[in-house]
Amino acid sequence: MLLRVDPSSPEPLFQQLADQVRRAVARGELTAGARLPAARELSTSLDINLHTVLRAYQELRDEGVIELRRGRGAVVARTDDLAALHEAVDQVVQTARRLHVPPATTLALLKEALR
Amino acid sequence: MTADRRPTIPHRRATTLVTLVAPVALTAVAVLVALTWADELPDPVATHWGPGGTPDDFSSLAGALLLLALTSVLLSLSCWVLALRLGAEATTRRIAAGTSVGIAALLAVLVVGSLALQRGVDDARDTGPITGVVVAAFATGLVLGVVAALLVPGDPDVTTTDAPPADAARLPLAPDERAAWTVSVWSPAAIGVALPVIALQVVLSIVLDTWLLLAIAAVLAALLATMLVLRVTVSAAGLVARSPLGWPRVHVPLEQVVAAHAETISPLRDFGGWGYRVALDGRAGFVLRAGDALVVERTGGRTTVVTVDDAATAAALLNTLAERSRVS
């Protein structure tokens, strides 16, 4: 899988990594049993701190997205079927565009609703 | 298949010296040594030994030496032609040199050693067993073959400063953004074909109580382990494909990337099989299954191929990273 980080983005690097994995699992691009790159390998490839990768993986493990096993690395734990949610999100996006609501406002509304 | 792009073969002179000149010289020395013994040897000489350790086939000295010379020289010639036509990769040139020198040494020691045993013997039928000579021949062949392979120079590190062509796919990245692409690829052919064969050998060796079969099964299993799974990464370090054992390994640094693209590969049609392959057009790499493959054109006319899923993303990222490394 493709993983990217942008150090100039205000979002912390571990957050950027974890979000990409979450998204890939939610979209069904990563299914249960798929193996993520070893933390050490990924930190070298992206030229970031090993602890940044480990923090992202630990967060994903705490959410139950992946399993961390000694020697086996990080493995995707579950397959999400979120087709209905994707449809709903698409509708939210379309409605926001139609009403010319800026993305930040839409996000704020979503965050509020999810609280 | 894209092109008839013949890659340039580097180190032609060194390759010729090791793959052709050395083994032919070795064979010539062996023949000359045997000829100086002509007066002390029985006529005919023993050329083959039966299972009981006694000679069971005979020939004139000249006939035996002619057969040795012809076999060795023909074999070395074939290896040399192979190395100079397909040897864009150091691995190919090394295998050719190792085979050429190794087998020439094995045959030379076998023939000269068996003749040495017959010096001063009146009747070749009285020659003793040649187990020692056979062991020495295989050991010499193995050692000299490995030495020859190591003597062949590696691939030159040719770098380019040209960006990949504009029509090669790119993967848009923000100016500071870093990206890495990783994937595992495994070989259904290795598992579907080799695993049953190895299992059968293990069962046979236990049933028949033949431990040699078990040893062969172990060697096959070790080879299989190196070809079963590959971890492929595209990052600022370029393209790296390696087995979990760390070897075999292919590394294409960004400075050697001319252009990358995705292609559909048929192992049998394009590469004549599965595993680490060298095709007739000089393209080389890991062909573990049919389908999507990352194809990297490199400096020096080399082309590296790795069968992976989502090769288009890998190719685009490799082009982008290569271009970025040229600019900065």
Side-chain angles (χ1 to χ4, degrees):
Chain A
M1 74 173 303
L2 178 72
L3 287 170
R4 33 166 97 195
V5 291
D6 189 347
S8 63
S9 151
E11 210 184 344
L13 295 179
F14 80 91
Q15 197 80 48
Q16 296 181 26
L17 278 181
D19 275 351
Q20 287 173 76
V21 177
R22 279 188 207 110
R23 258 196 317 261
V25 172
R27 283 198 195 119
E29 290 163 10
L30 284 177
T31 51
R35 194 171 294 203
L36 297 183
R40 189 171 298 277
E41 193 185 303
L42 188 59
S43 73
T44 315
S45 310
L46 290 174
D47 193 18
I48 56 179
N49 197 299
L50 174 63
H51 295 287
T52 308
V53 180
L54 287 176
R55 186 158 172 205
Y57 280 10
Q58 272 153 16
E59 188 153 298
L60 290 165
R61 182 195 55 193
D62 294 345
E63 293 165 18
V65 177
I66 63 170
E67 284 170 19
L68 290 178
R69 288 194 199 136
R70 198 163 277 279
R72 283 199 62 210
V75 179
V76 175
R78 55 156 205 253
T79 306
D80 286 347
D81 186 12
L82 300 179
L85 186 58
H86 287 302
E87 243 168 70
V89 169
D90 279 347
Q91 277 183 356
V92 169
V93 171
Q94 278 169 20
T95 312
R97 288 212 178 115
R98 202 178 60 231
L99 301 176
H100 301 293
V101 179
T105 311
T106 314
L107 267 180
L109 287 172
L110 268 177
K111 272 188 185 158
E112 174 100 14
L114 286 168
R115 204 168 278 154
Chain B
M1 303 294 285
T2 29
D4 204 30
R5 231 167 56 99
R6 277 223 164 271
T8 47
I9 313 290
H11 305 298
R12 302 178 79 94
R13 193 188 296 168
T15 304
T16 303
L17 273 177
V18 180
T19 316
L20 184 66
V21 178
V24 168
L26 183 91
T27 307
V29 169
V31 168
L32 287 176
V33 166
L35 281 176
T36 62
W37 297 341
D39 296 341
E40 309 162 56
L41 290 171
D43 188 22
V45 293
T47 53
H48 190 268
W49 275 253
T54 49
D56 63 357
D57 200 10
F58 307 88
S59 128
S60 69
L61 177 64
L65 293 179
L66 192 66
L67 186 67
L68 166 70
L70 273 181
T71 315
S72 287
V73 170
L74 270 182
L75 184 99
S76 295
L77 268 175
S78 323
C79 288
W80 175 64
V81 169
L82 210 71
L84 285 197
R85 282 189 71 84
L86 301 180
E89 304 289 325
T91 318
T92 315
R93 299 195 299 276
R94 292 199 163 121
I95 289 173
T99 309
S100 176
V101 172
I103 296 192
L106 185 155
L107 292 176
V109 173
L110 202 59
V111 171
V112 172
S114 68
L115 288 175
L117 286 179
Q118 303 177 50
R119 289 172 74 187
V121 177
D122 287 332
D123 190 331
R125 274 172 295 193
D126 299 333
T127 320
I130 57 158
T131 323
V133 171
V134 173
V135 172
F138 273 94
T140 315
L142 194 68
V143 170
L144 289 187
V146 170
V147 169
L150 292 178
L151 278 177
V152 172
D155 291 317
D157 184 17
V158 187
T159 59
T160 176
T161 49
D162 297 336
D167 61 349
R170 300 287 203 279
L171 191 143
L173 288 180
D176 289 332
E177 198 172 19
R178 302 168 195 167
W181 178 91
T182 324
V183 88
S184 283
V185 57
W186 60 281
S187 175
I191 291 173
V193 179
L195 222 51
V197 170
I198 292 173
L200 185 71
Q201 282 195 333
V202 171
V203 170
L204 273 179
S205 76
I206 292 168
V207 171
L208 301 174
D209 204 17
T210 316
W211 295 108
L212 185 65
L213 269 180
L214 202 60
I216 296 173
V219 171
L220 278 181
L223 272 177
L224 180 68
T226 66
M227 290 289 168
L228 203 61
V229 182
L230 273 186
R231 194 104 188 127
V232 186
T233 307
V234 172
S235 69
L239 166 71
V240 178
R242 63 187 188 89
S243 86
L245 302 176
W247 185 92
R249 180 173 185 275
V250 161
H251 179 209
V252 185
L254 290 180
E255 309 87 74
Q256 289 187 14
V257 174
V258 172
H261 68 271
E263 204 175 304
T264 305
I265 293 272
S266 156
L268 272 179
R269 198 191 58 218
D270 298 336
F271 287 88
W274 291 263
Y276 182 84
R277 314 291 306 178
V278 178
L280 287 177
D281 57 4
R283 312 205 298 176
F286 290 107
V287 180
L288 297 195
R289 52 142 182 76
D292 217 5
L294 171 63
V295 180
V296 185
E297 288 166 39
R298 306 169 65 170
T299 49
R302 297 160 73 190
T303 306
T304 298
V305 178
V306 185
T307 55
V308 283
D309 291 334
D310 194 20
T313 306
L317 179 61
L318 198 56
N319 286 329
T320 301
L321 292 177
E323 181 171 49
R324 186 190 265 182
S325 75
R326 312 278 144 84
V327 175
S328 54

